[in-house]
Amino acid sequence: APKVFKGCKVLISVKLSGSLEKIGDYAFSDCTNLKIVYVGGNVSKIGEGAFRGCTNLEEVCFEENYSLKEIGDYAFYDCIHLKRIKFPPTLQSLGGRAFDGCKRLESVDIPDSVTVIKERAFCGCKELKNMDLPSTLKEISEKAFMYCKKLTTLKLPASLETIGLRAFSYCYSIKNIEIPPAVKDLGEG
């Protein structure tokens, strides 16, 4: 259900297991004291804004036997204490602005099952230094990594066809980049 625990200020940890298949839109948004979330193996979708504004969220753990396929738009928007996340290999869709404003996010492992990084997915992740992009990635949408000021290492995969408008604007620390020959559309910025 949407907004089921929205704004529960005393909630510290959540374990989502059993037969739960979807975390609803904005289900835990603005739970400002939430620190850790355990996502059960049957969860296939984390809804739009599910953890948006959980400003003390530090850790998201995915249970073995995972079935997570989709992370919705704004799912972890402004989770300013989240430092790292390792997605399960079943993930296929990473929503727009999913990690926008996660300014302490340092590392992310995106599985090869993801082919598009949507708009502003990692915008404003100021501590993000290294990014291993999936070898099957076809598109980096507009402003996907804008303001990732410490991003230094970035290897664009040979499968990449589209780099959107301002995808890497204000990424001051990238020293070298090689645009793969498959890229047909290189946005402005």
Side-chain angles (χ1 to χ4, degrees):
K3 303 180 184 177
V4 70
F5 291 101
K6 180 178 172 51
C8 289
K9 306 288 185 205
V10 296
L11 193 58
I12 296 169
S13 72
V14 173
K15 185 171 184 177
L16 304 162
S17 56
S19 59
L20 183 69
E21 294 177 1
K22 178 187 176 199
I23 300 170
D25 295 349
Y26 301 92
F28 296 95
S29 63
D30 299 319
C31 292
T32 54
N33 283 307
L34 185 60
K35 290 188 183 288
I36 187 165
V37 174
Y38 299 94
V39 180
N42 286 325
V43 174
S44 63
K45 180 178 181 180
I46 296 175
E48 180 176 320
F51 298 98
R52 180 181 182 153
C54 292
T55 53
N56 281 303
L57 185 62
E58 296 173 356
E59 193 172 354
V60 179
C61 303
F62 296 98
E63 232 177 64
E64 293 292 323
N65 303 321
Y66 17 69
S67 58
L68 185 66
K69 291 186 179 6
E70 180 181 352
I71 294 177
D73 296 346
Y74 299 94
F76 294 93
Y77 181 89
D78 268 347
C79 292
I80 60 173
H81 281 92
L82 190 61
K83 286 191 174 184
R84 62 189 53 84
I85 191 155
K86 183 175 181 174
F87 300 113
T90 53
L91 184 67
Q92 295 172 357
S93 177
L94 184 60
R97 300 187 89 159
F99 293 90
D100 190 346
C102 294
K103 59 186 178 183
R104 289 187 180 94
L105 191 64
E106 295 173 357
S107 73
V108 176
D109 289 331
I110 302 174
D112 281 343
S113 49
V114 174
T115 58
V116 176
I117 296 177
K118 294 188 180 168
E119 70 283 343
R120 297 182 72 121
F122 297 99
C123 181
C125 295
K126 297 176 183 181
E127 294 297 318
L128 191 59
K129 295 178 181 109
N130 300 309
M131 176 60 77
D132 288 331
L133 296 173
S135 62
T136 54
L137 189 66
K138 297 215 177 287
E139 178 181 344
I140 297 173
S141 297
E142 72 176 63
K143 301 178 185 175
F145 295 97
M146 192 163 95
Y147 295 112
C148 292
K149 296 178 180 183
K150 292 188 179 179
L151 189 60
T152 56
T153 306
L154 184 71
K155 185 173 188 298
L156 299 177
S159 59
L160 192 63
E161 296 174 359
T162 302
I163 300 173
L165 173 75
R166 300 180 67 126
F168 298 100
S169 289
Y170 308 105
C171 293
Y172 301 124
S173 300
I174 297 177
K175 295 195 181 354
N176 299 305
I177 192 123
E178 185 176 326
I179 307 299
V183 171
K184 297 173 190 151
D185 184 10
L186 185 63
E188 298 174 20

